[in-house]
Amino acid sequence: MSSTVHRIDFRAPAPRPLPPSAPAAPSFEVQGTLADIVALMGGNAQTLPADEAREVLALVRVHEGLTLFHEGSPLHSLHVVRSGTMRCVKLDDDGYEQVVAFAGRGDVLGFDGLSSGAQSVTALALEECTLYALPLQELRRLRIRSAGFDAAFLQAVSRRLRQLFESAEMMAAVSSEVRLARFVLWMSSRMAAMGHSPRRLRLTMCRRDIASFLAVAHETVSRSFGTLAELGCLKVVNREIEIIDMPLLRKQARGTRSAGRQASTRPRDLPPDPAPASPWPAARIA
Amino acid sequence: MSSTVHRIDFRAPAPRPLPPSAPAAPSFEVQGTLADIVALMGGNAQTLPADEAREVLALVRVHEGLTLFHEGSPLHSLHVVRSGTMRCVKLDDDGYEQVVAFAGRGDVLGFDGLSSGAQSVTALALEECTLYALPLQELRRLRIRSAGFDAAFLQAVSRRLRQLFESAEMMAAVSSEVRLARFVLWMSSRMAAMGHSPRRLRLTMCRRDIASFLAVAHETVSRSFGTLAELGCLKVVNREIEIIDMPLLRKQARGTRSAGRQASTRPRDLPPDPAPASPWPAARIA
DNA sequence: CGAACCCTTGAGTCTGATCAAGCATTGTGG
DNA sequence: CCACAATGCTTGATCAGACTCAAGGGTTCG
């Protein structure tokens, strides 16, 4: 301990090349309506007046592997993912990168840069993606023009914020196996929210990305997948995941103190009184 | 591995008692103006029309240890911290709690619940706190009435979002020592942003809270503090932290491959070409 | 076919979680 | 005012989960 000199950085993700400096020249397509994006963000498109609903918005297409925007670059527009998955990374001082989020359909990108005027993460496409581009000026105009859009927008940002809390919960301590189980469940619920089957996932990111996101080594991700498969929770073939036993998977995702002694389970500073059942409405987080 | 049965959950935080079911009866005080809260959230209060600036807003006071709201409870109002520090936790299925954020002056609480209509975390006061209470209806009214408020509000939410990315970066992998170093720097920059000295910190949370937040054991936090002190970065006396050698601390907060061999430093999939200097504006994240 | 990745598996080492005491502080009640 | 209990903080010893290093199959692509 005293000789920190020898400390080796065992940060999970292996080094990545500097992003393929492709300045990302996404092709624009004039498509999409206000009704579209409102629904996308979780608002109620029905309530939009007809004239608003027909407003046309710009769409951007980003090809696999390309960068939509770079950390530190000036913030011109927000983006809302319409299809595909984006990977948000922060560049470490050493050039290592840390995956801080995966953004899918309905997620807002760039909002976190509003307060500083610069992007706080780099966003790359894990697969072919289409996104609504909302120049800040346009954003303001829309929010003023359409109360429905404004509400939906806030909804989307709120969802994003909650997602980050959830991912904090994922990365929080616990063993790597539990972390991965939670990750799979998270992906599953996202799939479900998009109308897809919650049991069959096609991961769009490689092991290393998952590893970086969960803050473990990519070899550990492999091994944990293996373990979960052995347990009968999953069937794993490369990036194809099938959830075999959902309850078991959930169980794995929990504290996993499972069988055996649970001696120290009792909160050690439990007050003398019997502490009645939880006095507030049970949390109903995913 | 095959026998996960024996896996022990080594999640960092020790068990906590169920929150002191105190229903938190905060005392209300009629204080605070719109100009106040706008400045607090990072907006420009100067630009507010005089009549708007004088709008009076409700303040809530929460005493140390008390709960402002519980995870899962219906969302009535957002809150903006004016003084003090709040601790945001998520309750694990087993009753363990995970600290997901510390909220200080200017931070918005509850916004993440907007999309679901329920609080997604529990908020407790680490010390005596005062907060602006913004009932949702009031919030909408203010946003419509005052463009300045609206802008400031978005700013604050944006800041919060970025903070979460930053804390993701903190928890991300790396050794516990590095994590703690980053935590201290983070606290320091927060102090600086509030006009306080960035070298002298009075931590408002106990070791266990830090441990939970960073996803390590509380003993490890102690040891890491010790190590950083030995290295000459810090002086630590209980919750009083003095940063002695800021550059050294920063260095510790980095990848910390420090001296010795740095063989594998070269990104292993560096493209054949010499890869010129970073093509985009250097990231300037704290 | 080779190059470049991605994924998996193995062996060895080390950080950090656990369990267990010990001080230091605080505050409560006799 | 002083003991006693309750917490918070620190330190030690032990053990195992996970990181690193290394190497081998599988794919995809030019």
Side-chain angles (χ1 to χ4, degrees), chain B residues 8-12 174-177 215-217 219-220 223 238 269:
Chain B
I8 39 174
D9 178 345
F10 64 88
R11 199 176 323 98
V174 295
S175 77
S176 64
E177 211 175 293
V216 297
E219 296 97 327
T220 302
R223 282 186 249 266
N238 279 339
D269 37 21

Side-chain angles (χ1 to χ4, degrees), chain B residues 84-87 99 101-105 107 126-127 160 163 166-167 170 178-207 209-211 213-214 221 225 228 234 238-243 246 249-250 253 286:
Chain B
T85 316
M86 302 288 294
R87 176 172 63 112
V99 176
F102 295 111
R105 180 173 170 80
D107 284 334
L126 281 169
E127 57 188 329
R160 192 107 187 94
Q163 272 178 32
E166 283 168 14
S167 62
M170 253 188 285
V178 174
R179 254 182 255 203
L180 189 64
R182 292 190 187 182
F183 175 73
V184 173
L185 283 175
W186 179 70
M187 288 295 292
S188 166
S189 70
R190 296 212 59 166
M191 284 294 114
M194 287 171 43
H196 293 74
S197 159
R199 333 195 70 84
R200 286 198 146 283
L201 312 175
R202 219 197 76 258
L203 299 181
T204 53
M205 66 293 284
C206 67
R207 296 283 188 270
D209 288 330
I210 301 177
F213 182 57
L214 297 180
V221 172
F225 265 132
L228 289 176
L234 306 175
N238 279 339
R239 300 190 181 179
E240 305 286 339
I241 309 288
E242 188 181 354
I243 300 178
M246 186 69 85
L249 182 59
R250 282 192 209 286

